[in-house]
Each structure stands twice: as structure tokens, then as C-alpha cells.
PDB file of all heavy atoms in Angstrom:
ATOM      1  N   PRO A   1    -156.329-163.425  86.217  1.00 94.00           N
ATOM      2  CA  PRO A   1    -156.238-161.981  86.404  1.00 94.00           C
ATOM      3  C   PRO A   1    -157.403-161.288  85.693  1.00 94.00           C
ATOM      4  O   PRO A   1    -157.857-161.730  84.635  1.00 94.00           O
ATOM      5  CB  PRO A   1    -154.908-161.606  85.741  1.00 94.00           C
ATOM      6  CG  PRO A   1    -154.100-162.854  85.802  1.00 94.00           C
ATOM      7  CD  PRO A   1    -155.091-163.974  85.642  1.00 94.00           C
ATOM      8  N   MET A   2    -157.891-160.213  86.303  1.00 95.00           N
ATOM      9  CA  MET A   2    -159.025-159.503  85.700  1.00 95.00           C
ATOM     10  C   MET A   2    -158.888-158.007  85.893  1.00 95.00           C
ATOM     11  O   MET A   2    -158.161-157.545  86.771  1.00 95.00           O
ATOM     12  CB  MET A   2    -160.345-160.000  86.290  1.00 95.00           C
ATOM     13  CG  MET A   2    -160.570-159.617  87.727  1.00 95.00           C
ATOM     14  SD  MET A   2    -162.151-160.178  88.361  1.00 95.00           S
ATOM     15  CE  MET A   2    -161.656-161.770  89.002  1.00 95.00           C
ATOM     16  N   THR A   3    -159.601-157.280  85.058  1.00 97.00           N
ATOM     17  CA  THR A   3    -159.676-155.834  85.138  1.00 97.00           C
ATOM     18  C   THR A   3    -161.142-155.466  85.246  1.00 97.00           C
ATOM     19  O   THR A   3    -161.966-155.962  84.482  1.00 97.00           O
ATOM     20  CB  THR A   3    -159.049-155.181  83.893  1.00 97.00           C
ATOM     21  OG1 THR A   3    -157.702-155.646  83.776  1.00 97.00           O
ATOM     22  CG2 THR A   3    -159.051-153.672  83.998  1.00 97.00           C
ATOM     23  N   VAL A   4    -161.465-154.603  86.211  1.00 97.00           N
ATOM     24  CA  VAL A   4    -162.843-154.212  86.483  1.00 97.00           C
ATOM     25  C   VAL A   4    -162.964-152.709  86.298  1.00 97.00           C
ATOM     26  O   VAL A   4    -162.143-151.938  86.806  1.00 97.00           O
ATOM     27  CB  VAL A   4    -163.239-154.594  87.932  1.00 97.00           C
ATOM     28  CG1 VAL A   4    -164.638-154.124  88.261  1.00 97.00           C
ATOM     29  CG2 VAL A   4    -163.099-156.102  88.140  1.00 97.00           C
ATOM     30  N   PHE A   5    -163.995-152.296  85.559  1.00 98.00           N
ATOM     31  CA  PHE A   5    -164.294-150.888  85.344  1.00 98.00           C
ATOM     32  C   PHE A   5    -165.646-150.595  85.978  1.00 98.00           C
ATOM     33  O   PHE A   5    -166.612-151.317  85.751  1.00 98.00           O
ATOM     34  CB  PHE A   5    -164.362-150.569  83.845  1.00 98.00           C
ATOM     35  CG  PHE A   5    -163.067-150.769  83.129  1.00 98.00           C
ATOM     36  CD1 PHE A   5    -162.731-151.999  82.580  1.00 98.00           C
ATOM     37  CD2 PHE A   5    -162.160-149.731  82.999  1.00 98.00           C
ATOM     38  CE1 PHE A   5    -161.537-152.202  81.923  1.00 98.00           C
ATOM     39  CE2 PHE A   5    -160.951-149.912  82.340  1.00 98.00           C
ATOM     40  CZ  PHE A   5    -160.632-151.141  81.800  1.00 98.00           C
ATOM     41  N   SER A   6    -165.705-149.516  86.771  1.00 97.00           N
ATOM     42  CA  SER A   6    -166.956-149.152  87.433  1.00 97.00           C
ATOM     43  C   SER A   6    -166.988-147.653  87.639  1.00 97.00           C
ATOM     44  O   SER A   6    -165.954-147.015  87.805  1.00 97.00           O
ATOM     45  CB  SER A   6    -167.049-149.857  88.788  1.00 97.00           C
ATOM     46  OG  SER A   6    -168.257-149.542  89.437  1.00 97.00           O
ATOM     47  N   GLY A   7    -168.189-147.112  87.636  1.00 97.00           N
ATOM     48  CA  GLY A   7    -168.383-145.704  87.958  1.00 97.00           C
ATOM     49  C   GLY A   7    -169.015-145.584  89.323  1.00 97.00           C
ATOM     50  O   GLY A   7    -169.744-146.478  89.768  1.00 97.00           O
ATOM     51  N   THR A   8    -168.775-144.479  89.997  1.00 97.00           N
ATOM     52  CA  THR A   8    -169.313-144.308  91.347  1.00 97.00           C
ATOM     53  C   THR A   8    -170.803-143.992  91.357  1.00 97.00           C
ATOM     54  O   THR A   8    -171.432-144.032  92.404  1.00 97.00           O
ATOM     55  CB  THR A   8    -168.565-143.206  92.116  1.00 97.00           C
ATOM     56  OG1 THR A   8    -168.719-141.963  91.417  1.00 97.00           O
ATOM     57  CG2 THR A   8    -167.087-143.555  92.285  1.00 97.00           C
ATOM     58  N   ARG A   9    -171.390-143.696  90.187  1.00 97.00           N
ATOM     59  CA  ARG A   9    -172.841-143.463  90.102  1.00 97.00           C
ATOM     60  C   ARG A   9    -173.547-144.674  89.504  1.00 97.00           C
ATOM     61  O   ARG A   9    -174.644-144.563  88.978  1.00 97.00           O
ATOM     62  CB  ARG A   9    -173.131-142.214  89.272  1.00 97.00           C
ATOM     63  CG  ARG A   9    -172.744-140.933  89.984  1.00 97.00           C
ATOM     64  CD  ARG A   9    -173.030-139.719  89.159  1.00 97.00           C
ATOM     65  NE  ARG A   9    -174.456-139.578  88.879  1.00 97.00           N
ATOM     66  CZ  ARG A   9    -174.940-138.792  87.930  1.00 97.00           C
ATOM     67  NH1 ARG A   9    -174.126-138.087  87.173  1.00 97.00           N
ATOM     68  NH2 ARG A   9    -176.245-138.713  87.738  1.00 97.00           N
ATOM     69  N   ASP A  10    -172.933-145.810  89.599  1.00 97.00           N
ATOM     70  CA  ASP A  10    -173.483-147.077  89.099  1.00 97.00           C
ATOM     71  C   ASP A  10    -174.042-147.845  90.294  1.00 97.00           C
ATOM     72  O   ASP A  10    -173.304-148.146  91.232  1.00 97.00           O
ATOM     73  CB  ASP A  10    -172.377-147.869  88.412  1.00 97.00           C
ATOM     74  CG  ASP A  10    -172.805-149.215  87.880  1.00 97.00           C
ATOM     75  OD1 ASP A  10    -173.972-149.610  88.060  1.00 97.00           O
ATOM     76  OD2 ASP A  10    -171.950-149.877  87.275  1.00 97.00           O
ATOM     77  N   VAL A  11    -175.330-148.158  90.259  1.00 97.00           N
ATOM     78  CA  VAL A  11    -175.935-148.907  91.361  1.00 97.00           C
ATOM     79  C   VAL A  11    -175.224-150.241  91.581  1.00 97.00           C
ATOM     80  O   VAL A  11    -175.223-150.774  92.689  1.00 97.00           O
ATOM     81  CB  VAL A  11    -177.460-149.090  91.135  1.00 97.00           C
ATOM     82  CG1 VAL A  11    -177.747-150.074  90.025  1.00 97.00           C
ATOM     83  CG2 VAL A  11    -178.162-149.500  92.404  1.00 97.00           C
ATOM     84  N   LEU A  12    -174.548-150.742  90.561  1.00 97.00           N
ATOM     85  CA  LEU A  12    -173.818-152.006  90.675  1.00 97.00           C
ATOM     86  C   LEU A  12    -172.362-151.828  91.114  1.00 97.00           C
ATOM     87  O   LEU A  12    -171.615-152.815  91.168  1.00 97.00           O
ATOM     88  CB  LEU A  12    -173.888-152.771  89.357  1.00 97.00           C
ATOM     89  CG  LEU A  12    -175.310-153.155  88.914  1.00 97.00           C
ATOM     90  CD1 LEU A  12    -175.294-153.822  87.549  1.00 97.00           C
ATOM     91  CD2 LEU A  12    -175.964-154.043  89.950  1.00 97.00           C
ATOM     92  N   ALA A  13    -171.960-150.608  91.443  1.00 98.00           N
ATOM     93  CA  ALA A  13    -170.589-150.393  91.921  1.00 98.00           C
ATOM     94  C   ALA A  13    -170.311-151.218  93.172  1.00 98.00           C
ATOM     95  O   ALA A  13    -169.185-151.672  93.388  1.00 98.00           O
ATOM     96  CB  ALA A  13    -170.357-148.904  92.205  1.00 98.00           C
ATOM     97  N   THR A  14    -171.336-151.440  93.975  1.00 97.00           N
ATOM     98  CA  THR A  14    -171.162-152.260  95.176  1.00 97.00           C
ATOM     99  C   THR A  14    -170.699-153.664  94.812  1.00 97.00           C
ATOM    100  O   THR A  14    -169.824-154.226  95.468  1.00 97.00           O
ATOM    101  CB  THR A  14    -172.465-152.345  95.973  1.00 97.00           C
ATOM    102  OG1 THR A  14    -173.492-152.849  95.114  1.00 97.00           O
ATOM    103  CG2 THR A  14    -172.873-150.990  96.521  1.00 97.00           C
ATOM    104  N   ASP A  15    -171.294-154.221  93.774  1.00 97.00           N
ATOM    105  CA  ASP A  15    -170.911-155.561  93.340  1.00 97.00           C
ATOM    106  C   ASP A  15    -169.489-155.570  92.781  1.00 97.00           C
ATOM    107  O   ASP A  15    -168.728-156.511  93.007  1.00 97.00           O
ATOM    108  CB  ASP A  15    -171.882-156.091  92.286  1.00 97.00           C
ATOM    109  CG  ASP A  15    -173.226-156.487  92.862  1.00 97.00           C
ATOM    110  OD1 ASP A  15    -173.436-156.337  94.086  1.00 97.00           O
ATOM    111  OD2 ASP A  15    -174.087-156.943  92.084  1.00 97.00           O
ATOM    112  N   SER A  16    -169.129-154.532  92.048  1.00 97.00           N
ATOM    113  CA  SER A  16    -167.762-154.453  91.519  1.00 97.00           C
ATOM    114  C   SER A  16    -166.754-154.411  92.656  1.00 97.00           C
ATOM    115  O   SER A  16    -165.742-155.117  92.632  1.00 97.00           O
ATOM    116  CB  SER A  16    -167.606-153.209  90.638  1.00 97.00           C
ATOM    117  OG  SER A  16    -168.422-153.300  89.503  1.00 97.00           O
ATOM    118  N   ARG A  17    -167.025-153.574  93.654  1.00 97.00           N
ATOM    119  CA  ARG A  17    -166.105-153.468  94.794  1.00 97.00           C
ATOM    120  C   ARG A  17    -166.011-154.788  95.554  1.00 97.00           C
ATOM    121  O   ARG A  17    -164.928-155.206  95.977  1.00 97.00           O
ATOM    122  CB  ARG A  17    -166.567-152.369  95.737  1.00 97.00           C
ATOM    123  CG  ARG A  17    -166.455-150.987  95.139  1.00 97.00           C
ATOM    124  CD  ARG A  17    -167.065-149.948  96.055  1.00 97.00           C
ATOM    125  NE  ARG A  17    -167.229-148.689  95.351  1.00 97.00           N
ATOM    126  CZ  ARG A  17    -168.290-147.906  95.474  1.00 97.00           C
ATOM    127  NH1 ARG A  17    -169.273-148.241  96.297  1.00 97.00           N
ATOM    128  NH2 ARG A  17    -168.373-146.789  94.795  1.00 97.00           N
ATOM    129  N   GLU A  18    -167.156-155.443  95.728  1.00 97.00           N
ATOM    130  CA  GLU A  18    -167.164-156.730  96.446  1.00 97.00           C
ATOM    131  C   GLU A  18    -166.410-157.795  95.646  1.00 97.00           C
ATOM    132  O   GLU A  18    -165.665-158.594  96.215  1.00 97.00           O
ATOM    133  CB  GLU A  18    -168.604-157.168  96.714  1.00 97.00           C
ATOM    134  CG  GLU A  18    -168.731-158.419  97.540  1.00 97.00           C
ATOM    135  CD  GLU A  18    -168.307-158.261  98.984  1.00 97.00           C
ATOM    136  OE1 GLU A  18    -168.038-157.130  99.438  1.00 97.00           O
ATOM    137  OE2 GLU A  18    -168.220-159.292  99.687  1.00 97.00           O
ATOM    138  N   LEU A  19    -166.597-157.813  94.345  1.00 96.00           N
ATOM    139  CA  LEU A  19    -165.857-158.755  93.504  1.00 96.00           C
ATOM    140  C   LEU A  19    -164.363-158.538  93.657  1.00 96.00           C
ATOM    141  O   LEU A  19    -163.606-159.488  93.874  1.00 96.00           O
ATOM    142  CB  LEU A  19    -166.257-158.593  92.033  1.00 96.00           C
ATOM    143  CG  LEU A  19    -165.389-159.363  91.041  1.00 96.00           C
ATOM    144  CD1 LEU A  19    -165.585-160.857  91.201  1.00 96.00           C
ATOM    145  CD2 LEU A  19    -165.685-158.906  89.617  1.00 96.00           C
ATOM    146  N   VAL A  20    -163.936-157.299  93.561  1.00 97.00           N
ATOM    147  CA  VAL A  20    -162.506-156.988  93.671  1.00 97.00           C
ATOM    148  C   VAL A  20    -161.982-157.406  95.043  1.00 97.00           C
ATOM    149  O   VAL A  20    -160.946-158.072  95.138  1.00 97.00           O
ATOM    150  CB  VAL A  20    -162.267-155.484  93.410  1.00 97.00           C
ATOM    151  CG1 VAL A  20    -160.845-155.084  93.791  1.00 97.00           C
ATOM    152  CG2 VAL A  20    -162.555-155.151  91.953  1.00 97.00           C
ATOM    153  N   ARG A  21    -162.675-157.051  96.088  1.00 97.00           N
ATOM    154  CA  ARG A  21    -162.244-157.395  97.449  1.00 97.00           C
ATOM    155  C   ARG A  21    -162.124-158.903  97.636  1.00 97.00           C
ATOM    156  O   ARG A  21    -161.092-159.419  98.061  1.00 97.00           O
ATOM    157  CB  ARG A  21    -163.220-156.819  98.467  1.00 97.00           C
ATOM    158  CG  ARG A  21    -162.793-157.059  99.920  1.00 97.00           C
ATOM    159  CD  ARG A  21    -163.862-156.605 100.912  1.00 97.00           C
ATOM    160  NE  ARG A  21    -165.050-157.446 100.885  1.00 97.00           N
ATOM    161  CZ  ARG A  21    -165.135-158.676 101.413  1.00 97.00           C
ATOM    162  NH1 ARG A  21    -164.085-159.219 101.993  1.00 97.00           N
ATOM    163  NH2 ARG A  21    -166.266-159.358 101.357  1.00 97.00           N
ATOM    164  N   ARG A  22    -163.166-159.619  97.273  1.00 96.00           N
ATOM    165  CA  ARG A  22    -163.185-161.071  97.501  1.00 96.00           C
ATOM    166  C   ARG A  22    -162.220-161.795  96.587  1.00 96.00           C
ATOM    167  O   ARG A  22    -161.590-162.775  96.986  1.00 96.00           O
ATOM    168  CB  ARG A  22    -164.604-161.603  97.347  1.00 96.00           C
ATOM    169  CG  ARG A  22    -165.490-161.138  98.514  1.00 96.00           C
ATOM    170  CD  ARG A  22    -166.777-161.891  98.666  1.00 96.00           C
ATOM    171  NE  ARG A  22    -166.626-163.310  98.501  1.00 96.00           N
ATOM    172  CZ  ARG A  22    -167.433-164.056  97.731  1.00 96.00           C
ATOM    173  NH1 ARG A  22    -168.444-163.520  97.079  1.00 96.00           N
ATOM    174  NH2 ARG A  22    -167.234-165.350  97.626  1.00 96.00           N
ATOM    175  N   ALA A  23    -162.104-161.346  95.335  1.00 96.00           N
ATOM    176  CA  ALA A  23    -161.165-162.002  94.412  1.00 96.00           C
ATOM    177  C   ALA A  23    -159.731-161.809  94.891  1.00 96.00           C
ATOM    178  O   ALA A  23    -158.936-162.750  94.863  1.00 96.00           O
ATOM    179  CB  ALA A  23    -161.343-161.445  93.002  1.00 96.00           C
ATOM    180  N   ARG A  24    -159.416-160.619  95.369  1.00 97.00           N
ATOM    181  CA  ARG A  24    -158.064-160.392  95.896  1.00 97.00           C
ATOM    182  C   ARG A  24    -157.808-161.257  97.124  1.00 97.00           C
ATOM    183  O   ARG A  24    -156.725-161.826  97.271  1.00 97.00           O
ATOM    184  CB  ARG A  24    -157.870-158.917  96.228  1.00 97.00           C
ATOM    185  CG  ARG A  24    -157.668-158.058  94.998  1.00 97.00           C
ATOM    186  CD  ARG A  24    -157.535-156.592  95.341  1.00 97.00           C
ATOM    187  NE  ARG A  24    -157.250-155.785  94.151  1.00 97.00           N
ATOM    188  CZ  ARG A  24    -157.422-154.476  94.085  1.00 97.00           C
ATOM    189  NH1 ARG A  24    -157.851-153.800  95.145  1.00 97.00           N
ATOM    190  NH2 ARG A  24    -157.153-153.831  92.963  1.00 97.00           N
ATOM    191  N   GLU A  25    -158.797-161.349  98.015  1.00 96.00           N
ATOM    192  CA  GLU A  25    -158.657-162.211  99.197  1.00 96.00           C
ATOM    193  C   GLU A  25    -158.416-163.665  98.795  1.00 96.00           C
ATOM    194  O   GLU A  25    -157.727-164.395  99.493  1.00 96.00           O
ATOM    195  CB  GLU A  25    -159.908-162.137 100.064  1.00 96.00           C
ATOM    196  CG  GLU A  25    -160.009-160.890 100.899  1.00 96.00           C
ATOM    197  CD  GLU A  25    -161.287-160.833 101.721  1.00 96.00           C
ATOM    198  OE1 GLU A  25    -162.125-161.775 101.644  1.00 96.00           O
ATOM    199  OE2 GLU A  25    -161.460-159.852 102.459  1.00 96.00           O
ATOM    200  N   ALA A  26    -158.993-164.076  97.659  1.00 95.00           N
ATOM    201  CA  ALA A  26    -158.840-165.446  97.179  1.00 95.00           C
ATOM    202  C   ALA A  26    -157.547-165.633  96.387  1.00 95.00           C
ATOM    203  O   ALA A  26    -157.281-166.730  95.893  1.00 95.00           O
ATOM    204  CB  ALA A  26    -160.042-165.838  96.321  1.00 95.00           C
ATOM    205  N   GLY A  27    -156.755-164.556  96.250  1.00 96.00           N
ATOM    206  CA  GLY A  27    -155.469-164.670  95.590  1.00 96.00           C
ATOM    207  C   GLY A  27    -155.430-164.242  94.143  1.00 96.00           C
ATOM    208  O   GLY A  27    -154.401-164.384  93.485  1.00 96.00           O
ATOM    209  N   ALA A  28    -156.525-163.714  93.621  1.00 95.00           N
ATOM    210  CA  ALA A  28    -156.546-163.278  92.226  1.00 95.00           C
ATOM    211  C   ALA A  28    -155.893-161.906  92.073  1.00 95.00           C
ATOM    212  O   ALA A  28    -155.934-161.081  92.978  1.00 95.00           O
ATOM    213  CB  ALA A  28    -157.979-163.220  91.706  1.00 95.00           C
ATOM    214  N   GLU A  29    -155.314-161.705  90.917  1.00 96.00           N
ATOM    215  CA  GLU A  29    -154.757-160.403  90.561  1.00 96.00           C
ATOM    216  C   GLU A  29    -155.892-159.591  89.931  1.00 96.00           C
ATOM    217  O   GLU A  29    -156.485-160.022  88.935  1.00 96.00           O
ATOM    218  CB  GLU A  29    -153.621-160.590  89.561  1.00 96.00           C
ATOM    219  CG  GLU A  29    -152.989-159.322  89.070  1.00 96.00           C
ATOM    220  CD  GLU A  29    -151.954-159.590  87.990  1.00 96.00           C
ATOM    221  OE1 GLU A  29    -151.272-160.635  88.060  1.00 96.00           O
ATOM    222  OE2 GLU A  29    -151.856-158.769  87.067  1.00 96.00           O
ATOM    223  N   VAL A  30    -156.201-158.435  90.516  1.00 97.00           N
ATOM    224  CA  VAL A  30    -157.324-157.629  90.037  1.00 97.00           C
ATOM    225  C   VAL A  30    -156.897-156.175  89.898  1.00 97.00           C
ATOM    226  O   VAL A  30    -156.323-155.592  90.821  1.00 97.00           O
ATOM    227  CB  VAL A  30    -158.542-157.699  90.992  1.00 97.00           C
ATOM    228  CG1 VAL A  30    -159.722-156.938  90.412  1.00 97.00           C
ATOM    229  CG2 VAL A  30    -158.926-159.137  91.287  1.00 97.00           C
ATOM    230  N   GLU A  31    -157.203-155.612  88.750  1.00 97.00           N
ATOM    231  CA  GLU A  31    -156.962-154.197  88.478  1.00 97.00           C
ATOM    232  C   GLU A  31    -158.332-153.518  88.501  1.00 97.00           C
ATOM    233  O   GLU A  31    -159.231-153.916  87.758  1.00 97.00           O
ATOM    234  CB  GLU A  31    -156.306-154.078  87.102  1.00 97.00           C
ATOM    235  CG  GLU A  31    -156.013-152.694  86.623  1.00 97.00           C
ATOM    236  CD  GLU A  31    -155.404-152.709  85.219  1.00 97.00           C
ATOM    237  OE1 GLU A  31    -154.696-153.671  84.860  1.00 97.00           O
ATOM    238  OE2 GLU A  31    -155.671-151.750  84.485  1.00 97.00           O
ATOM    239  N   LEU A  32    -158.495-152.512  89.331  1.00 97.00           N
ATOM    240  CA  LEU A  32    -159.777-151.813  89.444  1.00 97.00           C
ATOM    241  C   LEU A  32    -159.635-150.395  88.925  1.00 97.00           C
ATOM    242  O   LEU A  32    -158.725-149.668  89.305  1.00 97.00           O
ATOM    243  CB  LEU A  32    -160.254-151.775  90.899  1.00 97.00           C
ATOM    244  CG  LEU A  32    -161.489-150.912  91.181  1.00 97.00           C
ATOM    245  CD1 LEU A  32    -162.724-151.447  90.437  1.00 97.00           C
ATOM    246  CD2 LEU A  32    -161.750-150.809  92.672  1.00 97.00           C
ATOM    247  N   HIS A  33    -160.590-150.017  88.065  1.00 97.00           N
ATOM    248  CA  HIS A  33    -160.707-148.630  87.589  1.00 97.00           C
ATOM    249  C   HIS A  33    -162.098-148.167  87.999  1.00 97.00           C
ATOM    250  O   HIS A  33    -163.091-148.586  87.411  1.00 97.00           O
ATOM    251  CB  HIS A  33    -160.582-148.567  86.064  1.00 97.00           C
ATOM    252  CG  HIS A  33    -159.267-149.057  85.559  1.00 97.00           C
ATOM    253  ND1 HIS A  33    -158.197-148.219  85.340  1.00 97.00           N
ATOM    254  CD2 HIS A  33    -158.841-150.302  85.256  1.00 97.00           C
ATOM    255  CE1 HIS A  33    -157.173-148.935  84.909  1.00 97.00           C
ATOM    256  NE2 HIS A  33    -157.541-150.206  84.847  1.00 97.00           N
TER     257      HIS A  33
END
């Protein structure tokens, strides 16, 4: 299980969103802020 923190003005927000999406698809428990 993981928790991800990201801001919408972060150029790396795309990577955070992709991590959350793919980890959830793989069955991981993910909390996104």
C-alpha cells in the first residue's frame, strides 16, 4: 500500500497519476492526495 502526494502545478504530476492508475490496476492499494 502507498500514499502519493502531488500538486497540479507539478510537472511530475503526470507521473504521479500514472503510478496511481497502474498500481491500482495491478491490485495495489493507493491513496492519492
